[in-house]
């Protein structure tokens, strides 16, 4: 695995202005759900300065979102990611063992999807009010208890997911057998039956391939590979006059301090690179969270470039600081994203003191 790649300057990327809204209805409503936490048994998210520090634990939240859209008198409700199972034994012995080696999972059954969705306010949020699942990428902390969802629901991933998953198991993230049991899982955004109201892949902001899911710019699904093939992010317009957006960043990276602050790459932390304990104490660190680290740094720069826009707020799937800043405990959820700018939610991110990089 490549481990030598470095940050890309976000200002070196072409930027295609985000098209403005044509109607006040060209928005989606977002609810953020805290589906639990993962504690990594050693540093795997943000690189630390010393070998000792790399042996510390770090905890990350697991976020999913409800994306609601008013369309011609009805409401469509899509989940963006489906969290993690409460009991990792459900994933089969090899995946469970692999997961336990690396992580401690803290997902109370009430925080596991789909149950958590049914607590959405206002009720009723029964499963038959769900339209489908959009999954940022095919990792087990994002598709969760997929077999517990009604099989009638479409489950859509980004282009490249199927070829990757069919390519066989990989050491770090074997694809559990459950994953294949959902009969409608096969959708990849952009293919027949998974086009929403989009017309084709378009350039959007710092992304070269984005799909206009509702056809009105309210929800763009953009290709952001690197973490793994098929990885997507979602740009959601949450208000008009002025247009504001929340960028659901998935696992583009695993710490706020890797994509922020901007624009200077030198102020941002690198992705962690580690050796597994089983490789012995002298092993050279050669593993990262990303399948293709160069491509991951490119996607990180795209996220940074979007976050540089005043009217865009990015949130990673594991951005623990957001849960702390907005007071969203495990099993809780938070709406009101249409007001993030007025309420200063992004300013908290910008004013927070990033950890110093001097130790590196
Ligand atoms: Zn993840």
């Amino acid at each position: 695995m490549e481990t030598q790649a470095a940050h890309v300057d976000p200002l070196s990327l072409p930027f295609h202005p985000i098209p403005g809204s044509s109607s006040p209805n060209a928005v989606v409503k977002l609810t953020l759900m805290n589906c639990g936490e993962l504690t990594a048994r050693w540093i795997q998210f943000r690189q630390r300065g010393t070998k000792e520090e790399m042996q510390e634990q770090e905890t990350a939240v697991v976020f999913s979102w409800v994306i609601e859209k008013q369309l011609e008198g009805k409401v469509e409700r899509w989940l963006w990611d489906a969290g993690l199972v409460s009991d990792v034994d459900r994933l089969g012995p090899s995946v469970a063992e692999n997961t336990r080696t690396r992580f401690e999972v803290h997902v109370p059954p009430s925080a596991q999807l789909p149950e958590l969705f049914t607590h959405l306010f206002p009720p009723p949020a029964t499963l038959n009010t769900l339209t489908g699942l959009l999954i940022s990428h095919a990792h087990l902390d994002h598709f969760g208890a997929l077999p517990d969802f009604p099989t009638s629901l479409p489950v859509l991933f980004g282009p490249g997911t199927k070829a990757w998953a069919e390519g066989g198991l990989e050491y770090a993230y074997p694809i559990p057998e459950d994953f294949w049991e959902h009969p409608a899982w096969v959708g990849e955004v952009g293919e027949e039956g998974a086009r929403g109201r989009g017309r084709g892949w378009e350039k959007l902001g710092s992304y070269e391939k984005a799909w206009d899911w509702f056809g009105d710019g309210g929800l763009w699904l953009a290709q952001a590979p690197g973490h793994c093939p098929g990885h997507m992010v979602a740009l959601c317009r949450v208000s008009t006059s002025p247009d504001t957006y929340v960028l659901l960043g998935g696992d583009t990276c695993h710490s706020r301090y890797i994509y922020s602050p901007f624009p200077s790459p030198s102020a941002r932390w690198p992705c962690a690179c580690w050796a597994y304990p089983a490789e012995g104490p002298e092993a050279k660190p050669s593993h990262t969270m990303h399948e293709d680290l160069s491509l991951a740094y490119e996607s990180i720069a795209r996220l940074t470039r979007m976050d540089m826009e005043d009217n865009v707020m990015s949130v990673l799937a594991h951005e623990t600081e957001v849960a702390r800043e907005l007071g969203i405990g495990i099993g809780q959820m938070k709406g009101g994203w249409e007001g993030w700018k007025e309420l200063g939610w992004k300013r908290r991110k910008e004013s927070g003191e990033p950890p110093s990089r001097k130790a590196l």
Side-chain angles (χ1 to χ4, degrees):
M1 190 179 273
E2 180 193 20
T3 54
Q4 294 306 312
H7 274 298
V8 172
D9 183 353
L11 295 173
S12 70
L13 300 169
F15 192 82
H16 317 285
I18 305 167
S21 57
S22 55
S23 121
N25 301 325
V27 291
V28 294
K29 185 178 155 205
L30 291 179
T31 304
L32 174 59
M33 296 180 289
N34 181 337
C35 302
E37 288 179 351
L38 278 172
T39 298
R41 297 189 189 280
W42 61 89
I43 298 297
Q44 298 179 44
F45 305 141
R46 171 169 65 84
Q47 181 71 24
R48 304 299 158 89
T50 66
K51 215 170 177 179
E52 289 68 39
E53 284 172 328
M54 289 301 286
Q55 286 162 8
E56 289 171 13
Q57 292 195 338
E58 57 185 356
T59 295
V61 74
V62 178
F63 283 149
S64 297
W65 298 78
V66 182
I67 303 176
E68 290 182 72
K69 174 72 181 169
Q70 295 277 349
L71 272 171
E72 294 139 23
K74 63 178 170 63
V75 179
E76 284 198 8
R77 274 187 178 146
W78 291 82
L79 274 191
W80 171 261
D81 282 345
L84 180 60
V85 287
S86 183
D87 173 9
V88 292
D89 284 328
R90 286 190 60 186
L91 301 167
S94 74
V95 181
E97 192 198 321
N98 185 293
T99 304
R100 283 201 186 91
T101 306
R102 291 180 61 183
F103 301 105
E104 251 173 63
V105 170
H106 316 283
V107 181
S110 58
Q112 181 186 265
L113 287 164
E115 182 180 331
L116 182 56
F117 171 79
T118 64
H119 304 164
L120 188 71
F121 193 84
T126 51
L127 287 184
N128 57 16
T129 68
L130 254 187
T131 311
L133 290 88
L134 293 160
I135 308 288
S136 64
H137 64 292
H139 278 161
L140 56 87
D141 53 325
H142 296 262
F143 61 77
L146 198 53
D148 293 357
F149 287 88
T151 51
S152 56
L153 291 179
V155 183
L156 305 178
F157 294 84
T161 303
K162 277 191 283 185
W164 172 54
E166 283 162 8
L169 304 183
E170 50 160 337
Y171 172 64
Y173 286 102
I175 307 283
E177 280 170 24
D178 272 2
F179 186 78
W180 306 100
E181 286 170 11
H182 197 293
W185 93 272
V186 288
E188 285 190 357
V189 173
E191 72 181 13
E192 191 63 44
R195 294 191 175 145
R197 288 170 170 74
R199 292 175 301 273
W201 294 103
E202 301 177 52
K203 296 177 192 299
L204 176 80
S206 54
Y207 293 96
E208 295 298 312
K209 286 183 178 173
W211 194 274
D212 184 1
W213 186 250
F214 293 119
D216 63 0
L219 171 62
W220 292 90
L221 305 170
Q223 297 185 34
H227 178 53
C228 64
H231 182 268
M232 298 190 291
V233 298
L235 184 69
C236 305
R237 188 192 286 129
V238 290
S239 76
T240 60
S241 314
D243 291 351
T244 62
Y245 298 86
V246 180
L247 179 56
L248 317 184
D251 283 6
T252 299
C253 55
H254 296 75
S255 163
R256 166 181 293 181
Y257 304 111
I258 296 174
Y259 79 85
S260 172
F262 45 73
S264 165
S266 63
R268 297 199 302 279
W269 285 71
C271 301
C273 180
W274 69 85
Y276 283 100
E279 295 173 292
E282 299 308 318
K284 209 168 157 286
S286 63
H287 305 277
T288 81
M289 277 290 187
H290 304 290
E291 290 270 313
D292 183 328
L293 193 60
S294 298
L295 212 49
Y297 273 120
E298 209 178 290
S299 289
I300 291 164
R302 293 185 201 285
L303 189 83
T304 304
R305 179 64 190 84
M306 293 298 278
D307 206 56
M308 286 168 65
E309 296 294 298
D310 267 359
N311 62 344
V312 178
M313 174 176 177
S314 306
V315 180
L316 300 169
H318 302 295
E319 196 163 328
T320 309
E321 294 83 1
V322 172
R324 291 203 197 107
E325 287 159 0
L326 300 181
I328 317 167
I330 293 175
Q332 295 180 340
M333 45 186 94
K334 179 96 181 166
W337 288 86
E338 58 281 4
W340 68 260
K341 202 162 191 292
E342 278 164 35
L343 296 167
W345 291 357
K346 186 178 177 185
R347 271 204 300 282
R348 294 186 202 186
K349 165 161 60 174
E350 288 164 344
S351 60
E353 193 58 36
S356 165
R357 276 198 61 185
K358 280 195 192 111
L360 282 183

